[in-house]
Amino acid sequence: MRSRRVAIVAGGTDFFPAQGRRPIHHDVLDLTRVTALGGIAWTSPDSLRIGATATWTDVLRADLPPAFDGLKAAAREVGSVQIQNAGTVAGNLCNASPAADGVPPLLTLDAEVELAGAEGPRRLALSDFLKGPRQTALHPDEIMVALHIPRPPDHVTSAFGKLGARRYLVISITMTAVVIGLDAAGRIDVARIAVGACSPVAQRLTDLERDLIGVTPSEVTITPRHLASLAPISDVRADDVYRLEAVPAQIHRAIHRAILRASFRAGGDHG
């Protein structure tokens, strides 16, 4: 018997606009009412589970430590409030846009995706799941079930920055997410930096991360070597040279924003 084509969606905020005026001639299965695929909760003291159908509004409302502030900031940038209410974390990842707002902060959180299909469940690092523009490691018979994030060190903080042609409802020119921790001497002892919209897949800048360990925030220096893995394109939003010039400044701002927020939080704790 010939199988019927079924499009799997979770919210449909990317799927339906992509159809344009074309009629849909196949079945569409929306997973958002499958209770087991939702929710945001610590499944153990050291592991956070974000269900595949958790929305960006769910992320914003979740009680999470400062390491997740960058992810929450990205959630506020995902379209309008209506899109945030309907759009899901898994949908954002499976759509695999190079400019997907959620990807850089999730990379800095060492997120893994949990997939399930006829051959059983499997997990992949998010960096291995994303293969290219609109390309993932998802098999035809699989769905994304959840994301799993290991608990970050307690002293780290985070931030997210997005550069666009206007303030709201904009596709990114560049994006940067950071997770930063300082030791007792004020030197960086945790550094995770991810950049989006500057390569086919958002990516961590591991050389930069390594060079930041042991320096103070005021000593942060970003060289062309640190950006060598990026491959921005020129399009209607910006050219490749502009993107590469913008990234270092965006990283600096994100690092200092994260640290400043942590300082205010510490001042409130002691005030």
Side-chain angles (χ1 to χ4, degrees):
M1 185 175 69
R2 185 177 180 181
S3 61
R4 298 176 63 182
R5 181 188 171 194
V6 178
I8 304 295
V9 302
T13 57
D14 288 309
F15 174 80
F16 289 107
Q19 293 298 309
R21 295 180 177 273
R22 293 172 296 173
I24 298 174
H25 295 297
H26 54 272
D27 294 334
V28 178
L29 177 61
D30 190 337
L31 301 177
T32 50
R33 293 193 180 184
V34 180
T35 304
L37 296 179
I40 300 175
W42 294 96
T43 55
S44 75
D46 297 320
S47 181
L48 179 75
R49 177 187 182 275
I50 300 178
T53 62
T55 67
W56 292 106
T57 297
D58 293 334
V59 171
L60 284 168
R61 292 175 176 172
D63 183 14
L64 298 171
F68 291 83
D69 286 354
L71 181 62
K72 290 193 172 191
R76 296 185 186 96
E77 298 286 349
V78 180
S80 62
V81 172
Q82 294 90 336
I83 295 297
Q84 294 163 21
N85 288 341
T88 59
V89 177
N92 191 250
L93 300 183
C94 291
N95 191 50
S97 167
D101 295 313
V103 175
L106 287 169
L107 287 173
T108 63
L109 291 167
D110 289 334
E112 288 187 336
V113 298
E114 179 184 356
L115 311 175
E119 297 183 2
R122 63 186 179 114
R123 288 195 188 187
L124 288 174
L126 178 58
S127 56
D128 293 329
F129 175 74
L130 297 169
K131 295 296 187 181
R134 314 295 180 183
Q135 300 173 23
T136 72
L138 195 69
H139 293 163
D141 65 345
E142 286 182 319
I143 62 170
M144 186 181 294
V145 174
L147 282 85
H148 298 274
I149 298 173
R151 182 182 288 276
D154 290 339
H155 71 295
V156 304
T157 185
S158 62
F160 172 82
K162 177 175 178 175
L163 175 63
R166 59 177 187 264
R167 179 65 185 86
Y168 298 106
L169 302 176
V170 62
I171 298 175
S172 301
I173 293 173
T174 63
M175 293 179 293
T176 298
V178 305
V179 168
I180 291 290
L182 302 182
D183 63 18
R187 295 186 176 277
I188 295 172
D189 63 355
V190 176
R192 304 175 189 170
I193 314 290
V195 174
C198 286
S199 50
V201 176
Q203 58 181 276
R204 293 267 294 267
L205 300 184
T206 53
D207 285 347
L208 176 59
E209 292 174 357
R210 187 163 44 249
D211 289 348
L212 291 183
I213 301 302
V215 307
T216 65
S218 63
E219 295 170 335
V220 170
T221 301
I222 302 170
T223 69
R225 174 176 63 85
H226 295 133
L227 309 180
S229 62
L230 300 180
I233 63 171
S234 296
D235 60 16
V236 295
R237 288 179 288 278
D239 63 30
D240 55 349
V241 174
Y242 178 78
R243 284 184 160 100
L244 279 179
E245 290 177 345
V247 167
Q250 194 173 53
I251 293 173
H252 278 286
R253 282 197 296 267
I255 290 173
H256 287 282
R257 187 183 308 121
I259 292 170
L260 184 62
R261 186 180 295 118
S263 298
F264 278 130
R265 190 177 286 113
D269 291 343
H270 293 93

